[in-house]
Amino acid sequence: MLTRVEDLLQEVEAFNSSNPDEIEQFRIKLLGKKGDIKAIMAEFRNVPVEQKKEFGQKINILRNAAQDKINELKLAAAETSSTNHGLDLTMSGQPYELGARHPLSVVRNEIISIFNRIGFSVSEGPEIEDDWHNFTALNFPEEHPARDMQDTFFIDPEIALRTHTSSVQVRVMENSTPPIRTISPGRVFRNEAISARAHCIFHQVEGLYIDKNVSFADLKQTLLYFAKEMFGDKTKIRLRPSYFPFTEPSAEVDVSCQICNGKGCNVCKHTGFLEIMGCGMVDPNVLESCGIDSSIYSGFAFGMGIERIAMLKYQVNDLRHFFENDLRFLKQFKTAY
Ligand code: PHE
């Protein structure tokens, strides 16, 4: 059986045609309802248990290779027939390979879509930010360590690269009246040593909801909805008390470990949970700094790192992969988003 899969793989690699009918015939022969791959799949239950894994992987490789080849050839055929009646001397001798979105974009788009569905809009702001929007309006005390050169990239004493996209939310609050329901995706910068778990540039999505009578229960339900949409229906969340200058009370949010389903494993250090974000009720001082009456309105905020979510979702163990743009890594993320 394995040799049959390998033979077919060679056949796929060798196949070439610019004739759309031939390409379609080839697709039906391999990927059609009665095609070769379906026939092999039907034999899957006869494969000895110890070979099932290898066999399954090989079939996946074969199926992807066949689909990629057909897509490439179809694209090349369509381009040839639409230009110069089949002859375009400027075209590449090789079929173009289809590109893929960067995994961070895939995850960012997915997060945006999850929050869009419950009425959150997207807001963006500058990466170079002033002290007011990044720190002061957010209730950071004068001596807070984040204001130190060690943690923040300053351009001059008043201007820095933003350390979070909470700065965008300050801008939104200053320029609109509640109800406000928005998320701010974007690139942020912190003066950290680069390692498998940290980078001096990373990406965040932060969320803000302000209206009359917004409660901590609303925050919890929103985050539970997010976790289930992102990681699957069985996902649980857990909130641990924490501290941020701009929220009170504040919490860190954990999701049940995807790898062991909460039973405890090396990845979750046997706790069954993994941290994904910070959150809390917007501190009244922040609302007042942004011109919102805190005796009428309340709200919640949360913020997560896109890299972290992507690492958990795709089980990537080194954050640096996202920045190196090695095609062998990036090619694994061909998706619809
Ligand atoms: N701004 C925080 C950070 O960058 C995240 C956060 C946002 C926490 C909103 C609480 C509320 O780490």
Side-chain angles (χ1 to χ4, degrees), residues 32 80 85 88 106 132 137 142 160 175 218 226 280 289 313 337:
T80 333
H85 307 291
D88 178 359
V106 174
W132 169 258
E142 211 47 63
N175 295 313
D218 297 324
F226 167 73
S289 296
K313 193 164 168 78
Y337 269 103

Side-chain angles (χ1 to χ4, degrees), residues 33-287:
K33 277 206 183 101
K34 295 188 180 148
D36 293 337
I37 294 180
K38 275 269 152 46
I40 295 182
M41 288 297 284
E43 296 292 319
F44 192 71
R45 61 195 156 83
N46 300 332
V47 174
V49 182
E50 64 279 6
Q51 284 178 22
K52 272 200 165 40
K53 188 170 170 214
E54 190 191 355
F55 187 73
Q57 285 169 342
K58 283 257 161 67
I59 292 194
N60 272 339
I61 293 174
L62 172 63
R63 196 188 299 120
N64 290 341
Q67 193 62 58
D68 285 352
K69 184 70 164 225
I70 287 160
N71 290 348
E72 275 168 26
L73 292 177
K74 275 194 177 161
L75 194 70
E79 282 182 5
T80 333
S81 62
S82 61
T83 40
N84 269 348
H85 307 291
L87 186 63
D88 178 359
L89 298 179
T90 64
M91 267 184 66
S92 152
Q94 299 290 325
Y96 292 112
E97 226 185 298
L98 288 183
R101 265 190 222 293
H102 193 281
L104 293 179
S105 303
V106 174
V107 173
R108 184 199 53 212
N109 292 351
E110 200 173 339
I111 299 172
I112 291 176
S113 139
I114 292 173
F115 282 104
N116 270 344
R117 278 179 251 149
I118 52 169
F120 281 76
S121 61
V122 171
S123 44
E124 286 181 333
E127 293 180 349
I128 299 174
E129 206 28 297
D130 53 38
D131 175 274
W132 169 258
H133 290 98
N134 198 70
F135 295 127
T136 305
L138 288 162
N139 204 28
F140 276 79
E142 211 47 63
E143 69 286 359
H144 194 282
R147 291 180 178 233
D148 196 318
M149 299 282 282
Q150 305 255 302
D151 295 286
T152 302
F153 291 111
F154 280 93
I155 291 170
D156 69 35
E158 281 299 308
I159 307 284
L161 298 181
R162 67 180 176 197
T163 58
H164 48 189
T165 57
S166 305
S167 55
V168 180
Q169 308 188 333
V170 172
R171 288 174 181 276
V172 173
M173 286 190 275
E174 284 173 336
N175 295 313
S176 44
T177 41
I180 296 171
R181 231 180 312 175
T182 189
I183 50 172
S184 340
R187 203 154 53 142
V188 302
F189 309 83
R190 290 186 197 173
N191 197 354
E192 300 214 29
I194 296 170
S195 72
R197 302 173 57 97
H199 208 287
C200 54
I201 301 177
F202 63 99
H203 299 78
Q204 277 192 327
V205 176
E206 295 217 356
L208 177 72
Y209 179 28
I210 295 178
D211 203 349
K212 291 177 183 152
N213 301 321
V214 177
S215 71
F216 203 88
D218 297 324
L219 169 61
K220 277 189 355 192
Q221 283 306 314
T222 306
L223 298 180
L224 182 61
Y225 156 79
F226 167 73
K228 288 187 170 198
E229 291 291 306
M230 192 75 204
F231 297 109
D233 214 27
K234 296 210 174 73
T235 309
K236 296 198 180 97
I237 61 167
R238 174 173 88 170
L239 273 69
R240 283 176 290 110
S242 183
Y243 174 77
F244 299 99
F246 33 88
T247 47
E248 181 60 36
S250 308
E252 305 274 3
V253 184
D254 299 343
V255 288
S256 46
C257 177
Q258 306 305 305
I259 295 168
C260 62
N261 283 327
K263 288 191 197 74
C265 67
N266 282 341
V267 175
C268 61
K269 304 207 181 81
H270 301 282
T271 61
F273 281 92
L274 293 158
E275 185 189 320
I276 57 162
M277 64 173 124
C279 70
M281 301 306 290
V282 181
D283 191 304
N285 286 345
V286 174
L287 295 176

